[in-house]
Amino acid sequence: PRSATVVSPQVGSHRDISFESLSLFRLLEPHIEILVLGTGDRVERLHPAMLKQMRECGIAVEIQDTPNACATFNFLMSEKRVVAAGLIPP
């Protein structure tokens, strides 16, 4: 059965998102394929090196505003993908 777990890492804004702050997502079992990040009211650019590090760990990162990130997460779950979401409230 599919399940969802909710955790609340200490990220106040997109500026707090780093390779270190995303460490929990690299530890999840089963290993996630896609991490959907919702950066609040609008799409925010994240550091390219951090995104590259996540790809090297086998995790694709999709960055969207939070409402669209929620929709993308739900769609990927319905497709039975192994996905996680990190969402900053709008």
Side-chain angles (χ1 to χ4, degrees):
R2 308 291 294 170
S3 66
T5 302
V6 177
V7 295
S8 180
Q10 298 305 308
V11 173
S13 82
H14 71 279
R15 291 176 199 84
D16 299 324
I17 298 173
S18 66
F19 187 68
E20 293 73 29
S21 74
L22 298 178
S23 63
L24 170 72
F25 296 108
R26 296 190 301 276
L27 299 173
L28 294 175
E29 289 293 333
H31 186 78
I32 63 171
E33 303 170 44
I34 303 168
L35 172 59
V36 181
L37 293 177
T39 55
D41 288 324
R42 58 183 214 183
V43 178
E44 301 287 354
R45 294 182 57 81
L46 300 181
H47 200 285
M50 184 269 299
L51 298 174
K52 182 175 185 272
Q53 288 174 304
M54 292 298 285
R55 276 194 310 275
E56 288 170 351
C57 293
I59 300 173
V61 179
E62 178 71 34
I63 305 161
Q64 299 179 338
D65 61 80
T66 298
N68 283 314
C70 291
T72 298
F73 174 81
N74 289 333
F75 174 77
L76 291 169
M77 285 290 291
S78 75
E79 296 269 304
K80 308 245 186 292
R81 303 292 296 271
V82 183
V83 60
L87 305 169
I88 296 172

